[in-house]
Amino acid sequence: MAFYWGAVRRRVHCANKISTGSIIRLLAVMLLWAGCFPLITIGLDLAPHVAFAAMRAAIAGLSLILLAILLRRPLPRDFHTWILITTVGFGSTTLGFLGMFHAAEYVTPGIATVITNTQPLLTALLAHGILQERLSLSGKAGLVVGLLGVFVIAWPAVASGDMPNYRLGIAYVALAVTGVALGNIGIKRLTGRADGLIAMGFQLSIGAIPLALLSTTTEDLASFSWSLEFAAILLTLAVLGTSVAFWLWFRALEQVGLTKANAFTFLVPIIGLAIGTSLFGERLTWTQAGGAILILGGILLVQRASHSAPHG
């Protein structure tokens, strides 16, 4: 077992270039995350928001834990690893899900997209101070260019800003961004310390507990619209959009620096546009096309940037 984790650590420390396998995993994660947005929008009309988020996290976490048990994956034995798992659960799952599910009530998707995609910038700052990851000037420019591309794509919704309780919605999105950024730092710290199925399964399950408690005290659980449609949405979000996505994300971070991997999240709005165009008949504007080009250019700049090896 010591040999296995030593090999994992060596792969983490030596990974300055992104392999084809890691790129495929990262693209798959972005595709799964982008596909969640339409399902969440539909599901919010069928269930209380926090209860919906708690059920999504709990099902996702328990499914990963069950798979880990069947595969006989080892449980972490040291207290520090469990602290990291709990921290990730509170950040990525509790705060992340709470912020995004509630924000949908108050802000347009475009505004939420712009603010959410400041997360790579915040994570890069945290990774610089905590993980000792470094980006060259071109890498920093790439993050800014990618964010600019997201802003260009979302500008029509940003310009409208006609939803009630706008500031409250912004606060919820900011809460989600902070939680996800802190959670990503914790996930990166967990690589080489714990099995991916175990770490992600328990962080999701632990993160679901505060959401469930909050739901039981603040929401009317009788307002659920139980149906086959809701069950299909919930299971798809939990299994594909959450458990599979988080596991692939963990696997990618075993090989790739957090800042470089996180730059791929700028692809989410592009994939969202592709889904809207192909499935819902939405038309791609020249502004959106220009934003997509900026995003791709920003990612290329980040991938070309060199940084020091992750923490030891």
Side-chain angles (χ1 to χ4, degrees), residues 106-234:
Y106 306 112
V107 298
T108 63
I111 295 173
T113 300
V114 169
I115 300 175
T116 300
N117 279 276
T118 62
Q119 184 265 131
L121 299 177
L122 176 59
T123 302
L125 292 175
L126 293 175
H128 175 82
I130 299 175
L131 303 178
Q132 286 78 54
E133 290 190 2
R134 301 290 186 268
L135 272 181
S136 66
L137 182 60
S138 65
K140 296 174 183 176
L143 290 174
V144 175
V145 170
L147 179 61
L148 177 61
V150 173
F151 186 83
V152 169
I153 288 175
W155 173 249
V158 174
S160 63
D162 56 357
M163 298 187 73
N165 298 316
Y166 176 80
R167 292 182 179 177
L168 182 58
I170 296 298
Y172 275 123
V173 179
L175 179 68
V177 168
T178 303
V180 170
L182 292 173
N184 280 337
I185 295 294
I187 292 174
K188 185 61 180 177
R189 285 280 195 184
L190 280 169
T191 58
R193 290 179 175 271
D195 175 80
L197 293 176
I198 289 291
M200 295 301 95
F202 274 100
Q203 73 89 0
L204 284 163
S205 300
I206 292 171
I209 295 173
L211 293 173
L213 293 175
L214 181 63
S215 175
T216 57
T217 57
T218 61
E219 294 181 323
D220 179 14
L221 299 183
S223 62
F224 268 104
S225 297
W226 296 105
S227 63
L228 289 177
E229 179 189 21
F230 177 70
I233 290 171
L234 178 60

Side-chain angles (χ1 to χ4, degrees), residues 14 22 32 44 53 65 68 79 83 85-86 93 99 103 123 151 153 156-157 160 168 170 192 201 212 228 244 299 303:
C14 295
S22 295
L32 290 170
L44 288 178
I65 292 173
F79 180 72
I83 290 295
I85 290 173
T86 302
T93 301
T123 302
F151 186 83
I153 288 175
S160 63
L168 182 58
I170 296 298
L228 289 177
V244 173
I299 292 174
Q303 301 317 311

